Amino acid sequence: MITAILLASGYSRRFHSNKLLLDFCGSPVIEHTMRAVSQCAFVRKLLITRQDDFPQLSCQYGFETILNPLADTGQSASVHLGVAHCAPQSALMFFVGDQPLLTPAV
């Protein structure tokens, strides 16, 4: 039983806007990643984000949203938060939100 943890609480500082919300082939970048992850047989899917920018997408693809109040401290805060929301015996697989070309086969 594996839990998918999607890290999506970055600030896109180098990009200068929230790249996860940008259109990529007709959908936001993060939707492509969520779709690919949701097509795999994960027992749970967690979305770690700094603000609830994706409530409809989270619901549509079966992700539980966890808000990260320490997002400004770096990606490790998201990793720690995701792990803390899983049972100790859980196997975990991490993804980042800006992978629009991810496929279930990968």
Side-chain angles (χ1 to χ4, degrees):
M1 297 232 205
I2 303 172
T3 297
I5 301 175
L6 179 55
L7 307 176
S9 62
Y11 285 88
S12 303
R13 287 185 179 106
R14 291 176 293 171
F15 201 77
H16 302 292
S17 68
N18 190 344
K19 63 185 169 189
L20 299 179
L21 295 174
L22 292 178
D23 182 272
F24 181 80
C25 299
S27 300
V29 167
I30 194 163
E31 184 172 2
H32 293 275
T33 308
M34 286 179 161
R35 185 180 305 119
V37 171
S38 71
Q39 292 175 12
C40 299
F42 293 109
V43 66
R44 274 178 87 194
K45 297 181 293 290
L46 306 179
L47 173 68
I48 312 299
T49 184
R50 62 185 161 86
Q51 54 192 31
D52 201 1
D53 283 338
F54 325 107
Q56 291 175 318
L57 290 177
S58 298
C59 195
Q60 179 181 346
Y61 292 105
F63 282 82
E64 300 170 46
T65 299
I66 299 168
L67 296 179
N68 182 0
L70 301 174
D72 61 327
T73 64
Q75 193 173 50
S76 65
S78 293
V79 171
H80 287 282
L81 193 57
V83 171
H85 279 80
C86 295
Q89 70 276 15
S90 296
L92 311 174
M93 190 166 187
F94 291 88
F95 300 88
V96 292
D98 60 350
Q99 294 179 301
L101 300 178
L102 184 70
T103 66
V106 172

